[in-house]
Amino acid sequence: MIRNYTDIKVFTCNAHPVLAQEIAQKLDVTLGKSEVMKFSDGEISVKIDEKVRGTDVYIIQPTSTPANEHLMELLIMIDAMKRASAGRITAVLPYYGYARQDRKTRARDPISSKLVADILQTAGADRVLTMDLHCAQIQGFFNIPVDHLVGMPLLTKYYADKLGEHVDDVVAVSPDLGSVGRVRSFATKLDIPLAIIDKRRPKANVSEIMNIIGDVSGKRVILVDDMIDTAGTICNAANALKERGATAVYACCTHGVLSGPAMERIESSAIEELVILNTIAIPEEKKISKIKEISVAPIFADAIRRIHEDLSVSKLFD
């Protein structure tokens, strides 16, 4: 039976309240009243301060650093909503943590992204809304609907506006073989050629050898990836491209995890500008001049509106 929910209510935990507020404003609704607190021993407590019975509830919470804490906040809020008789509960994860643990690469490895999917469903989520999963097949780990948004249209629009018609000397570059499909789509949208970096490590503790497939000499290059964590891959790639004659190196990604030595590496690398979508909250101390953020609030707000009104979400991929 199809049920029409009369109200949209948007709530947030503590991972990214700024993004949640932006999404609520785009939807022309007030951010839901709730509190996510801790007891003195570190246990998480959630309090919902308004009626949600029968409503269409969306909880905004990227499971970014600290991943375990933010995941528990989301699970407990989902449980609170379910026990408060919310009509439908959608977990909105702009960034889905544990996505890199999507398969067994050696004996006795866990498949943690599947475990997270099971836990979200057990907590009471009726559907999931996310963006640029590290591995798209993770959608199959769920037995509930998953709407998988892509950040590519936001990035291609930014560079189309930035570059205009002056793209004769621009090349899109994949930092590794696993990102070729994503970068090919990016290059096609901007009508620019593609180059690929083939990384090889001859033996342990020996620097990577970079083989670049394609012409980058005398070109402005744009490195495209889904996420940047410690920034080793993207910075090594940028430096290799500069050594091979690239005149300028830009980079972009959907998820700016930026952990460990990432900031020092980016600062000292050949990257002139790094464009990141704000799926993860970036602390003030990491907002350096090289980094530019683009908000994903418009696309998430459109997706929520379409889900609520039973319209196609795939239109947002164009």
Side-chain angles (χ1 to χ4, degrees):
M1 183 179 72
I2 297 175
R3 178 175 176 182
N4 293 319
Y5 304 97
T6 55
D7 296 321
I8 291 179
K9 292 200 174 182
V10 177
F11 290 84
T12 185
C13 301
N14 290 331
H16 206 339
V18 172
L19 176 59
Q21 184 64 57
E22 288 181 20
I23 292 171
Q25 288 174 351
K26 294 288 183 183
L27 289 166
D28 198 24
V29 299
T30 303
L31 195 62
K33 297 176 182 176
S34 63
E35 293 180 74
V36 181
M37 305 161 290
K38 282 184 182 178
F39 293 112
S40 60
D41 64 351
E43 287 185 6
I44 294 165
S45 172
V46 169
K47 186 168 70 168
I48 311 300
D49 292 325
E50 62 181 83
K51 174 181 172 295
V52 295
R53 183 179 294 272
T55 59
D56 199 7
V57 170
Y58 297 82
I59 305 170
I60 317 294
Q61 178 79 339
T63 49
S64 49
T65 305
N68 298 334
E69 184 173 312
H70 287 157
L71 178 59
M72 279 304 299
E73 289 179 2
L74 176 60
L75 295 172
I76 293 170
M77 183 170 281
I78 290 171
D79 183 73
M81 294 295 181
K82 180 178 69 173
R83 296 177 189 280
S85 300
R88 178 173 62 182
I89 304 167
T90 301
V92 181
L93 296 95
Y95 170 71
Y96 185 92
Y98 287 99
R100 284 171 285 184
Q101 299 180 47
D102 63 299
R103 65 193 182 280
K104 293 182 70 171
T105 56
R106 44 186 189 186
R108 295 172 294 280
D109 271 358
I111 304 180
S112 305
S113 55
K114 165 62 173 167
L115 174 63
V116 171
D118 289 343
I119 294 170
L120 285 167
Q121 291 170 105
T122 300
D126 295 303
R127 69 187 303 133
V128 167
L129 175 60
T130 188
M131 175 175 275
D132 281 350
L133 291 167
H134 188 66
C135 175
Q137 291 90 328
I138 289 172
Q139 296 171 81
F141 291 169
F142 290 89
N143 294 318
I144 57 177
V146 177
D147 291 294
H148 185 209
L149 302 179
V150 292
M152 191 65 67
L154 295 173
L155 294 172
T156 52
K157 182 181 185 306
Y158 172 79
Y159 283 107
D161 293 341
K162 178 185 178 74
L163 301 172
E165 298 180 357
H166 308 292
V167 294
D168 294 342
D169 65 336
V170 179
V171 177
V173 180
S174 175
D176 52 44
L177 295 174
S179 300
V180 172
R182 179 182 304 106
V183 183
R184 183 181 291 115
S185 173
F186 179 89
T188 301
K189 290 283 187 183
L190 292 177
D191 194 22
I192 58 177
L194 168 68
I196 302 167
I197 292 180
D198 176 27
K199 297 182 305 180
R200 299 187 186 182
R201 189 181 293 276
K203 58 182 179 180
N205 298 321
V206 174
S207 297
E208 294 176 342
I209 297 172
M210 297 278 194
N211 296 312
I212 299 176
I213 304 166
D215 181 21
V216 298
S217 180
K219 306 288 187 180
R220 291 179 293 165
V221 299
I222 305 172
L223 283 157
V224 184
D225 212 344
D226 66 326
M227 74 166 66
I228 295 175
D229 188 355
T230 60
T233 296
I234 205 83
C235 290
N236 287 340
N239 295 336
L241 289 165
K242 198 72 174 177
E243 290 169 6
R244 299 302 205 284
T247 58
V249 181
Y250 307 105
C252 64
C253 72
T254 301
H255 309 298
V257 180
L258 305 179
S259 67
M263 302 313 298
E264 291 79 6
R265 287 173 173 173
I266 292 167
E267 283 274 32
S268 60
S269 75
I271 296 172
E272 295 185 16
E273 180 186 64
L274 172 59
V275 179
I276 295 175
L277 303 186
N278 69 337
T279 55
I280 296 172
I282 298 179
E284 287 299 322
E285 63 271 16
K286 293 185 178 181
K287 292 184 179 181
I288 60 175
S289 59
K290 279 190 177 184
I291 293 179
K292 177 178 177 59
E293 281 187 279
I294 298 175
S295 178
V296 296
I299 194 170
F300 272 95
D302 282 349
I304 289 170
R305 187 181 293 110
R306 287 177 173 275
I307 292 168
H308 179 70
E309 297 175 0
D310 294 324
L311 300 175
S312 171
V313 176
S314 62
K315 293 286 186 184
L316 299 176
F317 301 165
D318 297 333

